[in-house]
Amino acid sequence: WSARALVGLLWTIGGHVSLDVAIDARVLAFTIAVALGTGLLFGLAPAWRSTRVEPQTAMKSGGRGVTEGHSRFALGRVLVMSQVALSLVLLTGAGLMVGTFRSLATLDPGFQRDQVLLASADLRNAHHSAQRQRQFSHDMVARLRAEPGVRAASASEYTPLSGAAWNNFILVDGFSPTSRDDALVDFNAVSNGYFATLGTPLLAGRDFNESDTPGSPLVAIINETLAHKFFGHASPLGKQFRVPAGKKLGPPIEVVGVVGDAKYQSLREKAPPTAYLPYSQQQDPPSFMSFELRTAGAPTALIPSVTSAFGEVNPAISLEFTTLSQQVAESLTRERLLAMLSSVFGALALALAVIGIYGIMSYTVARRRNEIGIRIALGAAGSRVLRMVLGEVGRIVIIGVLLGLGAALAATRLVSSLLYGVAPTDPAILLLAALILIAMALAAGALPAWRAARLDPVEALREE
């Protein structure tokens, strides 16, 4: 049931998750063996210990003398301390994973993800020539812009975080790459209005326009990172670069605009040097292209009208729809899964630690009923008894937390490659995990302490 629930939760997030969650006989047998072995091991230890008790001691106080002496239950306290330490490690890990997911989900990717519908068009069955395909993209964008509810529309070869990419080397006069990959740049072919549709700011120069045709001089718009890396502090407008074409160099490409940095392949990456070329100048346009529509309302509400518009132009074109916000969310499927699973494991460990503390303190109070009864009979106030029991809880928890902090500092470094926006030793997360654990532990020990404070001394002493 939990495996199906996990897959169902991930599916509703929007990612196409494929997980084999069928019960494996070997795994099931292993877990059953571990459960039975644990039960037998921790059940036989006290059973063996009970065979060594003196009969006279065992008959006193209703059998409580079986465990007389603080040392008899020292192992239980050590186990609970270990449980607390492990819980702190898992809670810290959960905090780091949730912090990573939050950092990635809330960062500025360089574009506005909300209210953008993405239509991926497969043009292979349309059998367009290169010229016809360029004209089709131009006409289709104009038609989509006229649709009711569309605030802006554009076309591109790739969309951000789609999993597809195109890169190449560029040559710039005056720039000497330190390595082969130092001159590697990401590319995209886009129509005019692409940056306005996605909300990426145009910082300098112009957008592509009707004058950018296959026969006109080649132009490009570059992002800030590319501008600073290859052209330094000088204005890149009017500057040129070339792209290798086989063993030769292609014609010069003039920079006509600069836009803000935007994520391309991953939210984790720094904005790569990126050059945008006009789709209208592509000599060999690809058979797949995307159309972006910024809408006034819910993006998915426009799917029927967009489908109808494409069908009227060419019914052989197949479409797939998603939204830019969903595409961004799907790129975080791994981070979301890690955050969710680590939170579940952390919560489970916390629950086990709380149960362990409650169990050991309840047993300790029951074992010390006579002692507590004598204390109350001699005038000890209930608040003092309460502090005595909670003090013992505090000692167990503090030692466990200190052990857990050391283990967490060592263990979290192993997952540093999975983190983003948080340090493996983030003090705020460590402190929050420790405070949650201490608060829950004190709450678990409060009930046995409250019972001890309300103990009737006459009833307790009568059992002696």
Side-chain angles (χ1 to χ4, degrees):
W1 175 85
S2 61
R4 290 195 301 269
L6 173 62
V7 175
L9 177 62
L10 294 175
W11 185 265
T12 58
I13 289 168
H16 300 286
V17 178
S18 178
L19 293 175
D20 182 8
V21 294
I23 298 298
D24 185 278
R26 293 171 299 173
V27 174
L28 184 61
F30 173 77
T31 53
I32 291 174
V34 169
L36 292 175
T38 303
L40 290 173
L41 175 63
F42 288 93
L44 286 175
W48 174 79
R49 209 170 59 184
S50 67
T51 63
R52 305 179 63 188
V53 73
E54 293 294 332
Q56 183 179 1
T57 305
M59 294 174 65
K60 294 177 62 176
S61 301
R64 288 190 184 89
V66 174
T67 56
E68 282 298 326
H70 290 277
S71 61
R72 291 294 191 120
F73 212 53
L75 178 60
R77 289 181 175 81
V78 171
L79 291 174
V80 173
M81 291 174 190
S82 303
Q83 202 169 40
V84 170
L86 177 60
S87 298
L88 183 63
V89 174
L90 293 178
L91 282 175
T92 302
L96 293 174
M97 293 303 170
V98 171
T100 294
F101 174 69
R102 182 179 179 277
S103 297
L104 290 170
T106 58
L107 66 77
D108 179 10
F111 53 84
Q112 298 175 10
R113 69 191 79 182
D114 297 326
Q115 292 186 298
V116 176
L117 179 68
L118 302 180
S120 178
D122 183 353
L123 308 178
R124 288 176 297 181
N125 294 329
H127 303 295
H128 288 162
S129 64
Q131 180 181 356
R132 175 72 186 93
Q133 188 161 318
R134 288 192 296 267
Q135 187 62 42
F136 162 78
S137 67
H138 177 274
D139 296 343
M140 201 69 231
V141 168
R143 182 163 187 162
L144 293 174
R145 287 172 179 168
E147 289 288 331
V150 176
R151 295 166 54 191
S154 62
S156 65
E157 187 168 348
Y158 302 112
T159 54
L161 309 178
S162 63
W166 161 28
N167 57 28
N168 206 340
F169 300 98
I170 68 170
L171 285 86
V172 177
D173 290 339
F175 176 80
S176 299
T178 57
S179 64
R180 175 177 171 81
D181 290 344
D182 193 35
L184 192 64
V185 168
D186 286 339
F187 281 87
N188 197 1
V190 303
S191 71
N192 64 344
Y194 173 83
F195 305 107
T197 302
L198 265 62
T200 300
L202 181 65
L203 304 178
R206 67 171 177 87
D207 195 358
F208 301 131
N209 55 39
E210 300 294 335
S211 65
D212 300 320
T213 64
S216 64
L218 299 182
V219 296
I221 295 174
I222 62 176
N223 69 346
E224 283 185 285
T225 297
L226 192 154
H228 293 155
K229 179 176 181 178
F230 289 88
F231 301 102
H233 298 292
S235 172
L237 298 179
K239 302 291 180 64
Q240 295 180 338
F241 64 87
R242 293 172 180 262
V243 178
K247 295 183 178 180
K248 300 180 180 180
L249 286 178
I253 302 173
E254 181 183 348
V255 176
V256 297
V258 179
V259 295
D261 290 335
K263 304 291 185 178
Y264 190 11
Q265 298 185 58
S266 169
L267 287 174
R268 287 178 173 268
E269 69 179 0
K270 293 182 179 179
T274 309
Y276 301 90
L277 306 178
Y279 195 89
S280 57
Q281 290 188 333
Q282 295 303 293
Q283 296 298 319
D284 187 19
S287 299
F288 293 88
M289 63 183 305
S290 296
F291 293 86
E292 304 85 29
L293 296 87
R294 180 163 293 280
T295 65
T300 52
L302 288 177
I303 291 178
S305 60
V306 173
T307 303
S308 176
F310 275 91
E312 292 173 4
V313 174
N314 192 331
I317 297 174
S318 60
L319 297 172
E320 289 186 4
F321 292 95
T322 186
T323 64
L324 186 55
S325 59
Q326 182 176 340
Q327 189 159 285
V328 173
E330 289 178 3
S331 72
L332 294 175
T333 297
R334 185 187 71 166
E335 286 75 12
R336 183 182 291 103
L337 177 62
L338 289 174
M340 182 178 64
L341 289 180
S342 61
S343 296
V344 170
F345 293 146
L348 180 60
L350 180 61
L352 292 175
V354 167
I355 292 171
I357 291 171
Y358 173 78
I360 194 171
M361 294 316 301
S362 294
Y363 190 76
T364 299
V365 168
R367 182 169 59 87
R368 299 176 62 184
R369 277 174 61 88
N370 297 335
E371 174 196 337
I372 294 172
I374 294 173
R375 288 177 180 270
I376 296 176
L378 293 177
S383 59
R384 185 172 180 179
V385 175
L386 191 68
R387 288 195 303 270
M388 179 186 71
V389 178
L390 289 179
E392 189 168 350
V393 175
R395 286 190 292 274
I396 293 174
V397 174
I398 293 301
I399 295 174
V401 165
L402 292 176
L403 294 173
L405 284 174
L409 291 173
T412 52
R413 297 181 185 276
L414 301 177
V415 297
S416 58
S417 62
L418 300 174
L419 305 181
Y420 182 91
V422 292
T425 56
D426 190 301
I429 292 177
L430 286 168
L431 179 61
L432 180 60
L435 290 177
I436 290 174
L437 190 54
I438 291 171
M440 294 298 293
L442 291 176
L447 183 57
W450 180 77
R451 289 174 179 166
R454 291 172 56 88
L455 186 65
D456 183 356
V458 177
E459 181 181 344
L461 293 172
R462 185 183 295 127
E463 297 177 1
E464 186 59 49

